[in-house]
Amino acid sequence: RTYKQNKTHTTLIAIPHPTTTTTTRTASMGSKHTVSSRGGNTSASGVLKVRRAHHAGSWYSDDHEELNHMLTSFLHSAHQELNNNHNNSSIPRAIISPHAGYSYSGPTAAYAYAALHEALTAHAHAHTHTHAQSPSTMTIVVLHPSHHVYLDNACAVSSVDVLDTPLGQLQVAHALREELLSSGHFTTMNRAVDEAEHSGEMQYPFIAKIVRDVIPTASASATAGDGNFLGHGVVSVLPIMVGSLRTDKEQFFGQVLAPVLARPDIFCVVSSDFCHWGSRFGYSPWDNKCIEIHEYIEWLDRGGMDHIALQDPGAFATYLKKYRNTICGRNPIGVWLNSVLTNKENGMEQLDVKFVRYAQSSKVRDVRESSVSYASGVARFVA
């Protein structure tokens, strides 16, 4: 089977700021989205709220064995190349990973998720050998953009309890969600909004795969309500949708999240594709006097990656303003970079950021063609 990514975008709608509740309607779909600041999907019966794998069967396989085989192959290839070039023993703290259909971006994403495998292995080893009565749980914070709703200068946490994937179910980090909501700075996305957004979902099967590989006792048949999640007691996940933010708001949310992301039991996944080039994306710059179009696109993306590696959110914002590169996760990246800078300035944590893989969906040679770029980055702790 071939699984393709869908490039269609729905009409944008607004999600309200915290402490408000509203109902809006998408013009293209005619469906209602109710979004509230707290507990938008709370069930009076106490039944766990499950985020369904809405894009399974289209953007990636909905068959357990087929998906597991695909991700195994991607990760094996990534591990082989990375092991041959590996000269850094410091623990990974964050990754930047693409979110297109797996047939397009999966091989690239695997290079980022090899770092999560490394970090979770170290955490699980410490978990196994600790004598504490309540050993810490690794929480994976997923910062992802919004493609279908307009989240104006705000960030929204998922309101569900469980993230479903064909490889098993992941538990949402309830305590951290409540901590962020209690700050008054975050709103929530309801399940319909959550499920429609692919940029978070494309990370969850990879996370589930890594948990299954690292923790042999992880259940492959966990079902909602039985408390038997993948990596139960060892791993939880908190998705955060990062809206359309001004640079000052990126700084604000980065500073709010900085002490959270500096915790040793927190791992951050930043979801983003890179350049969307072509007339269908409304973006097709090219210096036709020098190089092929795909080479220009790579030059453009490499510039963005270099600015991210500098860990200077101001420099990255200047780059975006100058070239207007269509990096769809620019806001999550901006928030994360501000967290990294804040922690560095406060002496909490210093990271080294490197990009380990780059690819394009196709090599554009004609102005009538189009492509999307994918990059995997890894941030490691600097002692």
Side-chain angles (χ1 to χ4, degrees):
R1 282 182 273 180
T2 301
Y3 299 93
K4 301 183 293 182
Q5 70 182 96
N6 185 348
K7 292 294 184 183
T8 303
H9 293 264
T10 62
T11 301
L12 296 179
I13 63 174
I15 291 184
H17 285 281
T19 71
T20 63
T21 301
T22 189
T23 300
T24 54
R25 182 181 297 271
T26 59
S28 60
M29 299 297 291
S31 59
K32 292 183 178 180
H33 294 284
T34 302
V35 184
S36 66
S37 65
R38 299 296 293 266
N41 292 325
T42 300
S43 170
S45 65
V47 176
L48 294 179
K49 302 181 293 292
V50 180
R51 185 205 183 279
R52 297 164 296 185
H54 185 70
H55 297 83
S58 55
W59 291 54
Y60 58 94
S61 175
D62 57 0
D63 180 78
H64 169 94
E65 295 299 330
E66 186 175 342
L67 179 59
N68 185 62
H69 177 76
M70 172 183 276
L71 297 187
T72 297
S73 177
F74 291 161
L75 289 163
H76 176 73
S77 296
H79 278 296
Q80 276 195 317
E81 182 171 338
L82 291 170
N83 287 339
N84 290 337
N85 301 322
H86 185 64
N87 57 5
N88 194 332
S89 59
S90 59
I91 298 297
R93 298 286 288 124
I95 59 175
I96 297 173
S97 175
H99 54 235
Y102 284 169
S103 60
Y104 293 97
S105 69
T108 301
Y111 282 76
Y113 276 96
L116 176 59
H117 186 283
E118 187 180 341
L120 184 55
T121 298
H123 180 84
H125 184 269
H127 178 95
T128 301
H129 292 83
T130 185
H131 295 291
Q133 292 183 347
S134 300
S136 66
T137 297
M138 172 184 275
T139 297
I140 301 170
V141 173
V142 180
L143 301 177
H144 66 80
S146 174
H147 290 81
H148 303 291
V149 298
Y150 183 59
L151 189 56
D152 184 27
N153 281 310
C155 292
V157 295
S158 177
S159 62
V160 302
D161 303 300
V162 180
L163 305 173
D164 193 26
T165 83
L167 301 182
Q169 296 186 321
L170 297 162
Q171 185 175 21
V172 170
H174 302 93
L176 180 57
R177 174 172 60 199
E178 289 306 309
E179 178 184 342
L180 294 180
L181 288 174
S182 66
S183 72
H185 301 311
F186 294 82
T187 184
T188 60
M189 49 180 161
N190 75 357
R191 192 173 72 173
V193 170
D194 200 343
E195 290 180 343
E197 179 55 51
H198 65 275
S199 63
E201 180 175 329
M202 300 308 293
Q203 310 305 325
Y204 309 148
F206 262 109
I207 294 172
K209 170 61 175 172
I210 298 300
V211 173
R212 286 166 51 89
D213 287 353
V214 173
I215 306 171
T217 57
S219 171
S221 59
T223 56
D226 65 3
N228 191 21
F229 306 107
L230 289 173
H232 184 60
V234 183
V235 180
S236 64
V237 181
L238 183 62
I240 303 177
M241 178 183 283
V242 178
S244 179
L245 306 180
R246 301 188 308 266
T247 53
D248 63 313
K249 285 295 186 179
E250 288 181 350
Q251 182 181 35
F252 172 76
F253 281 106
Q255 291 173 344
V256 169
L257 287 171
V260 173
L261 299 185
R263 297 171 188 171
D265 57 352
I266 297 288
F267 188 93
C268 187
V269 173
V270 183
S271 179
S272 182
D273 292 336
F274 273 66
C275 183
H276 298 63
W277 195 98
S279 59
R280 67 192 203 134
F281 300 117
Y283 184 78
S284 50
W286 173 38
D287 183 358
N288 58 4
K289 296 179 181 179
C290 300
I291 52 179
E292 294 267 14
I293 297 174
H294 67 87
E295 294 174 326
Y296 177 83
I297 295 171
E298 179 168 355
W299 172 83
L300 192 66
D301 284 329
R302 294 286 181 188
M305 288 185 274
D306 289 344
H307 281 81
I308 293 169
L310 288 174
Q311 304 172 48
D312 183 344
F316 182 58
T318 299
Y319 158 84
L320 290 173
K321 184 176 181 179
K322 180 177 181 179
Y323 295 103
R324 301 191 179 279
N325 192 358
T326 47
I327 301 173
C328 57
R330 57 193 174 276
N331 292 126
I333 292 172
V335 168
W336 176 70
L337 285 176
N338 275 284
S339 288
V340 171
L341 179 61
T342 298
N343 285 328
K344 180 179 179 180
E345 292 177 341
N346 292 341
M348 297 292 293
E349 182 177 66
Q350 185 170 343
L351 303 180
D352 176 63
V353 180
K354 286 186 171 61
F355 280 84
V356 294
R357 191 67 171 181
Y358 175 79
Q360 297 171 358
S361 61
S362 62
K363 299 293 185 182
V364 176
R365 292 181 170 85
D366 188 280
V367 293
R368 294 167 294 183
E369 300 172 352
S370 63
S371 75
V372 179
S373 305
Y374 315 117
S376 282
V378 178
R380 293 177 178 273
F381 177 74
V382 176

